[in-house]
């Protein structure tokens, strides 16, 4: 397989590149002027200068490829400007789909999110059928991601072979910018100022990456949910503390309070482009969270999510190795006693 | 190695690092000081730190180790790290 990965230096992207290389694929990765290429150094890949804002360069980057993975589409950093976020997100996906159609690639695999799903009818978990008929309101993140998905649907209607993947909250290595892993780091460091109850779905990023490769080669449906373990936020916080130490924040906010607090934090942080402790998007994910079935992916793609604790351990180990978290005391003591 | 050569290398790698840092932070290079902290003072997140090191790595044609780089806290730390890697890999600075 000759694959182009758009977003190959992102969290899912790096794991996807590794999964493709493990399958013997020839991998080309788009890069911008300031991409974190260091994340992929020493891997046998080819770089192609292109961004989602450059349709002609994208088309050139796709030349000769069988499959394009759009794993690095727009991700609103703050939930403050719906119009601008919608415009940028939709434009990028539209450019990628147009370039894929023009370059003649066999398939485009698009990474979306379970946050685009509608509420499931009573009596069953949500799945690929649950597509909201209108753009979700009250959440910039959900609205933008829903609109981007519809852009892929439109390209599919025009004849593009496209598979949309909807992963849950990914955890594991290479979460450099702290996505869902922010919960692990925040709890263990005791730095979460508050929390809000809800449902999150955690899935190992390695399993998600391998499912991307399977979707490219043997996906038969338009959409696949890639979900692992549905857990309540309160349970997860206590579980993390029991497993790795840290502290559950004392303040539990209601969903309305949490949305308002996250929005205030983002307004304060945006001018200096700083991170907030808990982004509004994460609040939306938890408060709109629901059990989601990955039965279709299990049947078609051989998707088999790792046990939750194994995934958490992998994520925790990566955060320790890369100085996001202090080393556990017993490891530090072992190092001090080493004579080599 | 002659002292003057060492100073030139230090200046060059420091200049490259600080210029790229200013570009990534979208700030004037003259406002950057060695003691500034990348995260707290310059507002860089972890990905931007890696973008900086990627640009430095490409500009100076050296490999930089991610695990060591993640411990960098200040502008001076970054400059010293880059200089030490440059000297190691380009065969300079050895007695």
């Amino acid at each position: 397989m000759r694959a182009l990965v758009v977003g190959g230096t992102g969290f899912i992207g790096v794991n996807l590149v590794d999964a493709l290389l493990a399958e013997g694929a020839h991998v080309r990765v788009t890069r911008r002027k300031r991409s974190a290429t260091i994340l992929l150094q020493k891997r046998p890949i080819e770089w192609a200068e292109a961004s989602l804002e450059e349709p002609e360069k994208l088309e050139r980057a796709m030349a000769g490829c069988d499959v394009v993975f759009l794993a690095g589409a727009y991700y609103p950093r703050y939930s403050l400007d719906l119009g601008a976020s919608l415009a940028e997100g939709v434009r990028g996906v539209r450019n990628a789909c147009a370039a894929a159609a023009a370059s003649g690639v066999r398939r485009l695999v698009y990474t979306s999110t379970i946050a685009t799903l509608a509420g499931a009818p009573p009596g069953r978990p949500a799945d690929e059928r649950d597509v909201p008929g209108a753009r979700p309101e009250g959440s910039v993140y959900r609205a933008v991601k829903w609109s981007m998905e519809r852009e892929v649907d439109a390209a599919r209607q025009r004849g593009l072979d496209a598979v949309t993947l909807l992963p849950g909250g990914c955890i594991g290595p290479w979460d450099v910018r702290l996505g869902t892993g922010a919960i692990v780091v925040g709890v263990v460091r005791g730095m979460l100022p508050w929390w809000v109850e809800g449902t999150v779905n955690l899935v190992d990023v390695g399993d998600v990456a391998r499912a991307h490769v399977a979707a490219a080669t043997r996906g038969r449906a338009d959409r696949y949910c890639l979900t692992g373990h549905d857990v309540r936020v309160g349970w997860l916080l206590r579980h993390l503390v029991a497993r790795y130490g840290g502290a559950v924040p004392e303040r539990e906010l209601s969903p309305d309070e949490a949305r308002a607090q996250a929005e205030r934090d983002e307004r304060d942080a945006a001018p200096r482009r700083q991170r907030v402790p808990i982004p509004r998007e994460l609040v939306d994910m938890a408060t709109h969270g629901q059990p989601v079935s990955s039965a279709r992916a299990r049947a078609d793609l051989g998707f088999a999510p790792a046990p939750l604790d194994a995934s958490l351990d992998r994520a925790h180990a990566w955060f320790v190795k890369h100085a996001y978290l202090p080393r556990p005391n017993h490891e530090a003591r072992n190092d001090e006693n080493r004579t080599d | 190695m002659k002292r003057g050569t060492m100073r030139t290398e230090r200046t060059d790698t420091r200049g490259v690092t600080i210029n790229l840092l200013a570009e990534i932070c979208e700030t004037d290079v003259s406002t950057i000081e060695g003691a500034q902290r990348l995260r707290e003072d310059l507002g860089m997140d972890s990905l931007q730190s890696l973008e900086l090191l990627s640009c430095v790595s490409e500009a100076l044609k050296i490999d930089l180790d991610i695990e060591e780089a993640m411990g960098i806290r200040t502008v001076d730390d970054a400059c010293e790290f880059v200089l030490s890697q440059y000297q190691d890999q380009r065969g300079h600075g050895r007695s």
Side-chain angles (χ1 to χ4, degrees), chain A residues 9 31-42 47 77 174-178 189 272-275 318 321-324, chain B residues 20 23-26 39-40 42-43 45-48 50-51 53-55 57-58 62-67 69-71 73:
Chain A
T9 58
R31 59 161 299 174
R32 291 163 294 172
K33 185 182 173 193
R34 291 205 314 239
S35 292
T37 53
I38 195 171
L39 289 166
L40 291 176
Q41 71 182 1
K42 297 176 184 161
W47 291 107
R77 183 169 183 176
W174 305 108
D175 192 0
V176 169
R177 208 163 197 167
L178 291 179
R189 282 194 172 276
R272 286 166 290 148
R273 294 177 303 150
Q274 289 183 325
R275 285 185 65 93
W318 191 87
K321 186 176 179 183
H322 292 84
Y324 287 79
Chain B
L20 288 167
E23 190 181 323
I24 287 171
C25 294
E26 295 176 17
R39 186 178 297 268
E40 294 86 348
L42 294 172
D45 64 20
S46 43
L47 187 61
Q48 285 176 305
L50 292 182
E51 287 171 0
L53 294 172
S54 301
C55 292
S57 166
E58 290 170 10
I62 53 174
D63 287 335
L64 296 175
D65 186 82
I66 298 173
E67 286 165 36
M70 294 301 270
R73 294 286 174 263

Side-chain angles (χ1 to χ4, degrees), chain A residues 38-288:
Chain A
I38 195 171
L39 289 166
L40 291 176
Q41 71 182 1
K42 297 176 184 161
R43 288 170 173 83
I45 60 160
E46 179 187 350
W47 291 107
E49 291 267 359
S51 76
L52 289 170
E53 299 295 321
E54 301 168 303
E56 290 175 5
K57 286 187 180 178
L58 270 180
E59 190 178 331
R60 280 202 295 278
M62 292 176 188
C65 290
D66 309 304
V67 180
V68 171
F69 293 92
L70 182 47
Y74 177 71
Y75 190 107
R77 183 169 183 176
Y78 303 114
S79 297
L80 298 174
D81 189 339
L82 176 61
S85 295
L86 273 174
E88 185 170 351
V90 168
R91 185 170 62 242
V93 173
R94 184 177 298 158
N95 286 343
C97 289
S103 64
V105 298
R106 182 177 57 76
R107 170 166 286 182
L108 179 136
V109 178
Y110 171 63
T111 311
S112 185
T113 162
I114 55 169
T116 62
L117 292 173
R124 69 163 173 83
D127 61 27
E128 295 83 356
R129 293 168 290 180
D130 299 310
V131 181
R135 194 173 75 204
E137 294 186 357
S139 165
V140 169
Y141 177 71
R142 296 186 68 227
V144 171
K145 288 295 179 182
W146 179 89
S147 301
M148 291 161 69
E149 255 190 35
R150 300 293 74 75
E151 202 62 38
V152 176
D153 288 350
R156 191 182 292 117
Q157 293 282 322
R158 294 192 294 270
L160 181 69
D161 182 338
V163 178
T164 298
L165 301 180
L166 299 89
C170 292
I171 50 173
W174 305 108
D175 192 0
V176 169
R177 208 163 197 167
L178 291 179
T180 309
I183 300 174
V184 179
V185 173
V187 166
V188 177
R189 282 194 172 276
M191 291 172 65
L192 289 183
W194 49 269
W195 66 287
V196 59
E197 188 56 284
T199 297
V200 290
N201 185 283
L202 300 180
V203 61
D204 193 296
V205 71
D207 294 325
V208 167
R210 284 184 286 277
H212 276 64
V213 181
T217 53
R218 53 197 164 103
R220 297 182 303 171
D222 292 346
R223 294 159 60 78
Y224 289 99
C225 293
L226 305 176
T227 48
H229 308 278
D230 299 307
V231 294
R232 297 291 286 169
V233 173
W235 179 88
L236 176 63
L237 299 179
R238 291 188 297 275
H239 186 67
L240 290 171
V241 170
R243 201 165 180 83
Y244 308 115
V248 175
E250 288 181 7
R251 286 177 65 208
E252 180 186 355
L253 302 186
S254 71
D256 282 343
E257 290 170 333
R259 282 188 279 270
Q261 181 66 54
E263 196 167 319
R264 275 197 300 275
D265 290 347
E266 291 191 356
R267 287 197 189 284
D268 289 343
R272 286 166 290 148
R273 294 177 303 150
Q274 289 183 325
R275 285 185 65 93
V276 295
I278 302 173
R280 170 65 194 270
E281 160 251 323
L282 208 56
V283 174
D284 293 342
M285 286 287 283
T287 55
H288 288 278

Side-chain angles (χ1 to χ4, degrees), chain B:
Chain B
M1 168 171 292
K2 289 179 184 172
R3 207 171 195 167
T5 312
M6 175 72 99
R7 188 179 300 121
T8 304
E9 268 182 6
R10 177 178 290 271
T11 305
D12 287 345
T13 59
R14 187 176 180 88
V16 167
T17 306
I18 290 181
N19 274 309
L20 288 167
L21 182 61
E23 190 181 323
I24 287 171
C25 294
E26 295 176 17
T27 190
D28 192 309
V29 70
S30 65
T31 65
I32 293 182
E33 297 170 8
Q36 284 178 315
R37 296 164 299 177
L38 301 182
R39 186 178 297 268
E40 294 86 348
D41 300 326
L42 294 172
M44 293 181 80
D45 64 20
S46 43
L47 187 61
Q48 285 176 305
S49 300
L50 292 182
E51 287 171 0
L52 167 67
L53 294 172
S54 301
C55 292
V56 170
S57 166
E58 290 170 10
L60 298 174
K61 297 185 170 44
I62 53 174
D63 287 335
L64 296 175
D65 186 82
I66 298 173
E67 286 165 36
E68 287 186 53
M70 294 301 270
I72 291 172
R73 294 286 174 263
T74 67
V75 175
D76 276 342
D77 287 349
C79 292
E80 288 299 322
F81 174 68
V82 170
L83 176 65
S84 68
Q85 296 297 305
Y86 183 85
Q87 290 176 336
D88 281 352
Q89 293 176 37
R90 304 299 286 262
H92 298 305
R94 292 174 183 155
S95 55

